Amino acid sequence: MERTVIVGLDGSSESLAAADWAAREALRRGVPLRLVQVRETDSHPLLLSNVDPEARKRWEEQPGRVTAELAGRHPTLEIGTERLDGRPADVLRKAADGAELLVLGSKGRGALAGFLVGSVALSAAAHVTCPVVLVRAGTTEEAAHRDEPEVLTAGGEAPYRDVVLGVDLSKPCDGLLDFAFAAAARRGAPLRVVHGWNLPAAYGVNPAGFGPGLLDGLAEEKLQALTDALRPWRGKYPDVEVRTQAVVGRIAQQLLEAAEDASLVVVGRRDRRSPLGFHIGPVAHAVMHHATVPVAVVPHE
Protein backbone atom coordinates (compact mmCIF):
# COMPACT_ATOMS: atom_id res chain seq x y z
CA MET A 1 0.00 0.00 0.00
CA GLU A 2 1.14 3.54 -0.75
CA ARG A 3 2.59 5.41 2.21
CA THR A 4 -0.03 7.89 3.34
CA VAL A 5 -1.48 9.84 6.27
CA ILE A 6 -5.21 9.22 6.73
CA VAL A 7 -7.63 11.52 8.52
CA GLY A 8 -11.22 10.76 9.44
CA LEU A 9 -13.57 13.57 8.45
CA ASP A 10 -17.02 13.88 10.05
CA GLY A 11 -17.79 17.60 9.85
CA SER A 12 -17.01 18.40 13.49
CA SER A 13 -14.62 21.15 14.51
CA GLU A 14 -12.41 18.43 15.96
CA SER A 15 -12.12 16.60 12.65
CA LEU A 16 -11.36 19.85 10.82
CA ALA A 17 -8.52 20.53 13.28
CA ALA A 18 -7.38 16.94 12.74
CA ALA A 19 -7.37 17.44 8.96
CA ASP A 20 -5.24 20.57 9.28
CA TRP A 21 -2.79 18.81 11.63
CA ALA A 22 -2.67 15.76 9.36
CA ALA A 23 -1.90 17.91 6.31
CA ARG A 24 1.14 19.41 8.03
CA GLU A 25 2.27 15.97 9.19
CA ALA A 26 1.92 14.55 5.68
CA LEU A 27 4.14 17.36 4.40
CA ARG A 28 6.72 16.66 7.11
CA ARG A 29 6.73 12.99 6.07
CA GLY A 30 6.65 13.69 2.33
CA VAL A 31 3.58 11.48 1.77
CA PRO A 32 0.06 12.09 0.42
CA LEU A 33 -2.91 12.95 2.64
CA ARG A 34 -6.11 10.93 2.34
CA LEU A 35 -9.40 12.31 3.67
CA VAL A 36 -11.87 9.56 4.59
CA GLN A 37 -15.53 10.33 5.22
CA VAL A 38 -17.62 7.44 6.57
CA ARG A 39 -21.33 7.16 5.91
CA GLU A 40 -22.85 5.02 8.63
CA THR A 41 -25.41 3.10 6.59
CA ASP A 42 -27.75 2.04 9.39
CA SER A 43 -28.17 5.10 11.53
CA HIS A 44 -26.36 8.15 10.16
CA PRO A 45 -28.73 11.09 10.73
CA LEU A 46 -28.00 12.53 7.34
CA LEU A 47 -29.58 9.48 5.73
CA LEU A 48 -32.91 9.97 7.46
CA SER A 49 -35.73 11.18 5.27
CA ASN A 50 -36.57 14.21 7.42
CA VAL A 51 -33.07 15.71 7.31
CA ASP A 52 -32.79 19.17 5.77
CA PRO A 53 -31.61 18.63 2.17
CA GLU A 54 -29.28 21.61 2.53
CA ALA A 55 -27.64 20.03 5.58
CA ARG A 56 -27.18 16.79 3.66
CA LYS A 57 -25.72 18.69 0.73
CA ARG A 58 -23.23 20.48 2.99
CA TRP A 59 -22.16 17.16 4.48
CA GLU A 60 -21.71 15.57 1.07
CA GLU A 61 -19.73 18.54 -0.22
CA GLN A 62 -17.49 18.82 2.83
CA PRO A 63 -14.56 16.71 1.54
CA GLY A 64 -14.31 18.97 -1.48
CA ARG A 65 -14.36 22.11 0.63
CA VAL A 66 -11.76 20.79 3.04
CA THR A 67 -9.57 19.63 0.16
CA ALA A 68 -9.74 23.07 -1.43
CA GLU A 69 -8.87 24.80 1.84
CA LEU A 70 -5.94 22.51 2.54
CA ALA A 71 -4.68 22.74 -1.02
CA GLY A 72 -4.76 26.53 -0.75
CA ARG A 73 -2.60 26.43 2.39
CA HIS A 74 -0.35 23.58 1.21
CA PRO A 75 -0.14 23.72 -2.60
CA THR A 76 2.55 21.03 -2.83
CA LEU A 77 0.57 18.47 -0.82
CA GLU A 78 -1.07 15.59 -2.69
CA ILE A 79 -4.62 15.17 -1.31
CA GLY A 80 -7.11 12.41 -2.03
CA THR A 81 -10.66 11.92 -0.75
CA GLU A 82 -12.79 8.85 -0.26
CA ARG A 83 -16.34 8.28 1.01
CA LEU A 84 -16.94 4.83 2.48
CA ASP A 85 -19.98 3.07 3.95
CA GLY A 86 -20.22 1.07 7.16
CA ARG A 87 -19.51 1.35 10.89
CA PRO A 88 -16.96 4.17 11.31
CA ALA A 89 -14.67 2.28 13.68
CA ASP A 90 -14.52 -0.75 11.38
CA VAL A 91 -14.17 1.28 8.19
CA LEU A 92 -11.37 3.44 9.56
CA ARG A 93 -9.55 0.40 10.91
CA LYS A 94 -9.56 -1.18 7.46
CA ALA A 95 -8.73 2.10 5.71
CA ALA A 96 -5.72 2.62 7.96
CA ASP A 97 -4.28 -0.84 7.36
CA GLY A 98 -0.79 -0.23 5.99
CA ALA A 99 -0.95 3.56 6.44
CA GLU A 100 1.76 5.51 8.23
CA LEU A 101 -0.67 7.32 10.48
CA LEU A 102 -4.38 7.71 11.25
CA VAL A 103 -5.45 11.13 12.56
CA LEU A 104 -8.81 11.68 14.28
CA GLY A 105 -10.52 14.53 16.06
CA SER A 106 -11.06 14.19 19.81
CA LYS A 107 -13.92 15.98 21.52
CA GLY A 108 -13.85 18.96 23.84
CA ARG A 109 -14.04 19.34 27.59
CA GLY A 110 -16.39 17.04 29.41
CA ALA A 111 -17.04 16.12 33.02
CA LEU A 112 -14.27 16.14 35.62
CA ALA A 113 -12.34 18.80 33.67
CA GLY A 114 -11.22 16.21 31.19
CA PHE A 115 -11.98 15.44 27.56
CA LEU A 116 -14.36 13.11 25.86
CA VAL A 117 -12.74 10.56 23.62
CA GLY A 118 -15.50 9.16 21.43
CA SER A 119 -16.07 5.48 20.81
CA VAL A 120 -14.65 5.67 17.29
CA ALA A 121 -11.39 7.24 18.49
CA LEU A 122 -11.13 4.79 21.39
CA SER A 123 -11.69 1.82 19.11
CA ALA A 124 -9.14 3.12 16.61
CA ALA A 125 -6.53 3.75 19.28
CA ALA A 126 -7.10 0.24 20.65
CA HIS A 127 -7.19 -1.76 17.43
CA VAL A 128 -5.66 0.08 14.45
CA THR A 129 -2.28 -1.38 13.50
CA CYS A 130 -0.66 1.99 12.71
CA PRO A 131 -0.12 4.89 15.14
CA VAL A 132 -3.22 6.97 15.86
CA VAL A 133 -3.06 10.70 16.64
CA LEU A 134 -5.94 12.41 18.45
CA VAL A 135 -6.34 16.15 17.87
CA ARG A 136 -8.50 18.61 19.82
CA ALA A 137 -10.63 21.33 18.31
CA GLY A 138 -8.72 24.60 18.21
CA THR A 139 -5.32 22.95 17.77
CA THR A 140 -3.17 25.30 15.71
CA GLU A 141 0.30 25.22 14.21
CA GLU A 142 1.17 28.41 16.07
CA ALA A 143 0.49 26.76 19.45
CA ALA A 144 3.00 24.00 18.63
CA HIS A 145 5.82 26.57 18.54
CA ARG A 146 7.50 28.26 21.45
CA ASP A 147 6.72 31.89 22.08
CA GLU A 148 10.32 32.95 21.66
CA PRO A 149 10.56 35.56 18.89
CA GLU A 150 14.24 36.12 19.65
CA VAL A 151 15.05 32.46 18.83
CA LEU A 152 14.15 31.50 15.28
CA THR A 153 14.90 28.48 13.14
CA ALA A 154 16.66 28.68 9.79
CA GLY A 155 13.22 28.92 8.21
CA GLY A 156 12.35 32.01 10.25
CA GLU A 157 9.96 30.22 12.65
CA ALA A 158 9.97 29.90 16.40
CA PRO A 159 11.23 26.43 17.43
CA TYR A 160 8.78 23.64 18.15
CA ARG A 161 7.82 22.79 21.69
CA ASP A 162 9.05 19.47 23.08
CA VAL A 163 7.84 16.10 21.91
CA VAL A 164 7.05 14.22 25.13
CA LEU A 165 7.34 10.43 25.33
CA GLY A 166 6.14 8.15 28.10
CA VAL A 167 8.03 4.85 28.20
CA ASP A 168 7.91 1.67 30.27
CA LEU A 169 11.29 -0.06 30.17
CA SER A 170 9.89 -3.34 31.47
CA LYS A 171 8.37 -4.02 28.04
CA PRO A 172 9.78 -3.98 24.49
CA CYS A 173 9.32 -0.52 23.02
CA ASP A 174 11.53 -0.15 19.93
CA GLY A 175 8.65 0.95 17.69
CA LEU A 176 7.55 3.51 20.27
CA LEU A 177 11.05 4.96 20.62
CA ASP A 178 11.54 5.16 16.87
CA PHE A 179 8.23 6.98 16.39
CA ALA A 180 9.03 9.55 19.08
CA PHE A 181 12.61 10.19 17.95
CA ALA A 182 11.46 10.55 14.33
CA ALA A 183 8.67 12.96 15.35
CA ALA A 184 11.16 15.11 17.24
CA ALA A 185 13.65 15.00 14.35
CA ARG A 186 11.03 16.13 11.80
CA ARG A 187 10.18 19.12 13.98
CA GLY A 188 13.70 19.96 15.10
CA ALA A 189 12.27 19.69 18.62
CA PRO A 190 13.75 18.39 21.86
CA LEU A 191 12.52 14.97 22.97
CA ARG A 192 11.58 14.71 26.63
CA VAL A 193 11.45 11.06 27.74
CA VAL A 194 9.56 10.30 30.96
CA HIS A 195 9.98 6.85 32.50
CA GLY A 196 7.70 5.90 35.37
CA TRP A 197 8.67 3.23 37.87
CA ASN A 198 7.33 1.79 41.09
CA LEU A 199 9.05 0.69 44.26
CA PRO A 200 9.76 -3.04 44.45
CA ALA A 201 7.02 -4.89 46.35
CA ALA A 202 9.41 -5.60 49.21
CA TYR A 203 9.60 -1.87 49.95
CA GLY A 204 5.85 -1.31 50.24
CA VAL A 205 3.94 1.39 48.40
CA ASN A 206 4.81 4.59 50.29
CA PRO A 207 8.15 6.13 49.27
CA ALA A 208 7.93 8.61 52.16
CA GLY A 209 8.73 5.78 54.56
CA PHE A 210 12.27 5.35 53.21
CA GLY A 211 15.36 7.43 53.58
CA PRO A 212 16.46 9.72 50.75
CA GLY A 213 19.54 7.60 50.16
CA LEU A 214 17.50 4.54 49.20
CA LEU A 215 15.16 6.48 46.94
CA ASP A 216 18.01 8.39 45.33
CA GLY A 217 19.83 5.16 44.65
CA LEU A 218 16.81 3.53 43.05
CA ALA A 219 16.10 6.66 41.00
CA GLU A 220 19.70 6.77 39.76
CA GLU A 221 19.47 3.10 38.78
CA LYS A 222 16.27 3.71 36.79
CA LEU A 223 17.70 6.79 35.12
CA GLN A 224 20.79 4.83 34.08
CA ALA A 225 18.59 2.08 32.65
CA LEU A 226 16.69 4.72 30.68
CA THR A 227 19.95 6.22 29.40
CA ASP A 228 21.14 2.79 28.29
CA ALA A 229 17.85 2.05 26.50
CA LEU A 230 18.01 5.34 24.60
CA ARG A 231 21.64 5.04 23.51
CA PRO A 232 20.94 3.31 20.15
CA TRP A 233 18.29 5.86 19.28
CA ARG A 234 20.54 8.79 20.15
CA GLY A 235 23.00 7.30 17.68
CA LYS A 236 20.33 6.92 15.01
CA TYR A 237 19.00 10.46 15.56
CA PRO A 238 22.12 12.43 16.61
CA ASP A 239 20.52 15.83 16.01
CA VAL A 240 17.69 15.26 18.50
CA GLU A 241 18.23 16.87 21.88
CA VAL A 242 17.10 14.34 24.51
CA ARG A 243 16.00 15.13 28.04
CA THR A 244 15.31 12.25 30.41
CA GLN A 245 13.27 11.94 33.57
CA ALA A 246 12.68 8.85 35.75
CA VAL A 247 9.85 9.31 38.26
CA VAL A 248 8.43 7.03 40.90
CA GLY A 249 4.67 6.49 40.60
CA ARG A 250 1.94 8.62 38.98
CA ILE A 251 3.48 8.53 35.51
CA ALA A 252 0.25 9.71 33.91
CA GLN A 253 0.28 12.89 35.99
CA GLN A 254 3.93 13.51 35.10
CA LEU A 255 3.14 13.15 31.40
CA LEU A 256 0.17 15.50 31.64
CA GLU A 257 2.30 18.12 33.36
CA ALA A 258 4.98 17.76 30.67
CA ALA A 259 2.29 18.01 27.98
CA GLU A 260 1.42 21.53 29.08
CA ASP A 261 4.48 22.78 27.20
CA ALA A 262 4.61 20.18 24.42
CA SER A 263 3.77 20.04 20.72
CA LEU A 264 3.00 16.30 20.82
CA VAL A 265 2.69 13.58 23.46
CA VAL A 266 3.56 10.00 22.51
CA VAL A 267 2.33 6.98 24.47
CA GLY A 268 2.42 3.27 23.73
CA ARG A 269 -0.26 0.64 23.42
CA ARG A 270 0.55 -3.05 23.61
CA ASP A 271 -0.44 -4.73 20.36
CA ARG A 272 -3.00 -7.18 21.73
CA ARG A 273 -5.06 -8.62 18.94
CA SER A 274 -8.16 -9.70 20.86
CA PRO A 275 -11.34 -8.65 19.04
CA LEU A 276 -13.11 -7.98 22.33
CA GLY A 277 -12.96 -4.77 24.31
CA PHE A 278 -10.48 -1.91 24.38
CA HIS A 279 -6.88 -2.67 25.26
CA ILE A 280 -5.49 0.74 26.11
CA GLY A 281 -3.38 0.88 29.25
CA PRO A 282 -4.28 3.23 32.11
CA VAL A 283 -1.48 5.69 31.35
CA ALA A 284 -2.39 6.02 27.66
CA HIS A 285 -6.07 6.23 28.60
CA ALA A 286 -5.46 9.08 31.06
CA VAL A 287 -3.31 11.03 28.60
CA MET A 288 -5.85 10.57 25.79
CA HIS A 289 -8.62 11.95 27.99
CA HIS A 290 -6.80 14.85 29.64
CA ALA A 291 -3.93 16.14 27.48
CA THR A 292 -4.75 19.34 25.62
CA VAL A 293 -2.20 18.81 22.84
CA PRO A 294 -2.19 16.15 20.09
CA VAL A 295 -1.63 12.64 21.47
CA ALA A 296 -0.04 9.84 19.44
CA VAL A 297 -0.92 6.29 20.50
CA VAL A 298 1.66 3.89 19.07
CA PRO A 299 1.07 0.12 18.99
CA HIS A 300 4.09 -1.98 19.84
CA GLU A 301 4.89 -5.52 20.94
Side-chain angles (χ1 to χ4, degrees):
M1 176 178 286
E2 181 185 28
R3 296 170 56 221
T4 185
V5 170
I6 295 177
V7 59
L9 195 64
D10 65 7
S12 66
S13 57
E14 293 83 13
S15 77
L16 296 178
D20 188 59
W21 189 95
R24 297 192 301 270
E25 182 66 14
L27 282 172
R28 281 189 285 263
R29 292 169 176 258
V31 301
L33 175 68
R34 179 180 168 202
L35 305 176
V36 176
Q37 187 183 47
V38 181
R39 181 171 57 185
E40 192 168 359
T41 51
D42 293 334
S43 59
H44 198 291
L46 294 176
L47 297 181
L48 302 179
S49 59
N50 61 350
V51 170
D52 180 359
E54 288 299 319
R56 181 181 303 182
K57 181 180 179 182
R58 288 194 298 271
W59 185 82
E60 292 176 345
E61 292 177 348
Q62 184 188 57
R65 294 199 305 272
V66 174
T67 298
E69 292 172 1
L70 293 177
R73 291 196 291 271
H74 311 292
T76 64
L77 177 62
E78 179 183 343
I79 306 173
T81 63
E82 190 170 6
R83 180 176 292 132
L84 302 172
D85 295 338
R87 294 182 64 250
D90 294 339
V91 171
L92 288 170
R93 185 162 60 246
K94 293 177 182 177
D97 187 25
E100 289 205 3
L101 200 65
L102 172 64
V103 185
L104 299 173
S106 190
K107 296 186 180 297
R109 291 194 177 275
L112 304 178
F115 287 87
L116 300 173
V117 179
S119 61
V120 173
L122 277 173
S123 180
H127 297 297
V128 169
T129 57
C130 70
V132 177
V133 176
L134 305 180
V135 179
R136 311 295 185 194
T139 297
T140 64
E141 175 68 1
E142 292 74 19
H145 293 266
R146 296 189 177 280
D147 187 16
E148 299 176 0
E150 70 282 3
V151 181
L152 300 179
T153 67
E157 294 181 329
Y160 273 94
R161 299 180 186 275
D162 292 3
V163 172
V164 172
L165 167 65
V167 64
D168 181 355
L169 294 180
S170 68
K171 303 168 184 175
C173 54
D174 284 358
L176 179 64
L177 289 170
D178 194 58
F179 181 96
F181 269 87
R186 292 188 190 100
R187 292 163 173 77
L191 176 62
R192 193 184 327 177
V193 184
V194 183
H195 168 49
W197 57 280
N198 295 311
L199 288 170
Y203 295 109
V205 296
N206 182 13
F210 301 91
L214 173 61
L215 286 178
D216 290 347
L218 289 171
E220 184 62 30
E221 177 183 322
K222 297 297 182 181
L223 189 59
Q224 184 59 52
L226 178 59
T227 299
D228 293 342
L230 297 179
R231 188 171 291 113
W233 306 101
R234 289 179 187 262
K236 184 177 180 180
Y237 297 93
D239 294 332
V240 174
E241 176 188 351
V242 181
R243 304 164 183 170
T244 56
Q245 183 180 3
V247 296
V248 57
R250 299 184 62 82
I251 178 62
Q253 183 60 39
Q254 295 288 338
L255 285 173
L256 290 170
E257 290 177 4
E260 294 177 0
D261 191 34
S263 59
L264 178 69
V265 180
V266 182
V267 293
R269 187 262 297 169
R270 296 296 300 280
D271 192 8
R272 303 169 185 169
R273 298 183 180 279
S274 169
L276 301 176
F278 297 135
H279 296 288
I280 300 172
V283 173
H285 193 274
V287 173
M288 287 168 58
H289 279 275
H290 294 283
T292 59
V293 300
V295 176
V297 181
V298 181
H300 62 93
E301 295 181 359

